[in-house]
Amino acid sequence: DIEATCEAEHPAGYRPEVIELPVVLLNAKTGELGASYRSYCRPKVNPVLSQYCISLTGITQKTVDKAKEFPEVLEDMIAWLGKHIPQDSKFAFVTDGDYDIAKFGVVQCELSGVAIPAMWRSWVNIRKHFSNMYSQKRVNLQSMLSMLSMSFEGRPHSGLDDSKNIARITQRLLADGCSLSANGRLPS
């Protein structure tokens, strides 16, 4: 669950920048959680976090000031994935909606002048699978957890904590027989 710069009210033309890039590994065959990754990113266009953003995410100005810039963090994440996912394995990012990759990831790649990673061209939108599996309207992360009689673990809008909770929902969907597939895609 990518976290990005934000304002209480986005001014016209505001482009959010990634400030936290987390990953939680989940083996879809066994349902077991694996290693996790988190790195913070230093924003360039909006280098000073709004008080709203700090309050929402818990990410401080000091944290982003000492962080690497996005291109280096993206490289680090890809290298980390290479060490933790066997080369012949298939994998996909699981997101809480399409926004994380389709908006935050794409905009950040454009702002940073880097190519959109192939692994971000499609993803599993857990909201859509949840809605279809349990015949529910699409709801947010906390509501999905509540409907599964689970409580949120950690701090909401911490990218890593959100990712761990998305993984818990994914575990439950798999245990209940859901066949997960990529259902979010960037336009060709």
Side-chain angles (χ1 to χ4, degrees):
D1 189 74
I2 297 171
E3 297 301 325
T5 58
C6 53
E7 301 283 343
E9 293 183 30
H10 287 132
Y14 185 85
R15 297 182 78 180
E17 293 178 82
V18 172
I19 55 174
E20 183 185 0
L21 192 59
V23 176
V24 174
L25 297 181
L26 171 67
N27 184 320
K29 290 180 181 171
T30 66
E32 290 181 28
L33 287 175
S36 60
Y37 170 91
R38 169 200 267 164
S39 193
Y40 296 102
C41 304
R42 183 173 63 248
K44 289 178 71 175
V45 177
N46 303 297
V48 178
L49 300 180
S50 68
Q51 192 56 50
Y52 173 80
C53 186
I54 293 167
S55 297
L56 181 69
T57 66
I59 299 170
T60 66
Q61 187 65 48
K62 185 176 179 181
T63 298
V64 297
D65 285 347
K66 64 182 184 180
K68 298 174 185 176
E69 290 185 0
F70 177 80
E72 193 175 351
V73 171
L74 182 61
E75 272 184 40
D76 290 350
M77 182 197 72
I78 292 169
W80 183 87
L81 288 168
K83 291 177 186 172
H84 287 84
I85 298 175
Q87 204 166 20
D88 58 343
S89 297
K90 289 172 48 175
F91 76 96
F93 283 86
V94 179
T95 64
D96 175 29
D98 294 326
Y99 214 77
D100 287 84
I101 293 175
K103 179 72 173 173
F104 296 154
V106 169
V107 167
Q108 187 63 60
C109 287
E110 290 170 357
L111 287 171
S112 298
V114 298
I116 298 165
M119 68 181 91
W120 280 358
R121 297 241 169 239
S122 64
W123 57 90
V124 176
N125 177 336
I126 205 70
R127 282 186 193 202
K128 289 179 185 176
H129 281 292
F130 184 94
S131 174
N132 293 338
M133 179 72 181
Y134 302 116
S135 301
Q136 298 287 329
K137 66 178 182 158
R138 288 192 195 155
V139 295
N140 66 20
L141 181 58
Q142 297 221 13
S143 295
M144 286 187 278
L145 288 164
S146 178
M147 288 176 181
L148 295 174
S149 299
M150 301 166 95
S151 57
F152 190 94
E153 293 180 0
R155 183 189 197 289
H157 302 291
S158 155
L160 184 59
D161 290 346
D162 285 354
S163 296
K164 288 177 180 179
N165 284 287
I166 291 167
R168 293 172 58 224
I169 292 167
T170 305
Q171 285 175 308
R172 180 66 173 273
L173 282 165
L174 291 168
D176 287 351
C178 185
S179 178
L180 297 177
S181 59
N183 56 5
R185 287 178 178 62
L186 294 179
S188 300

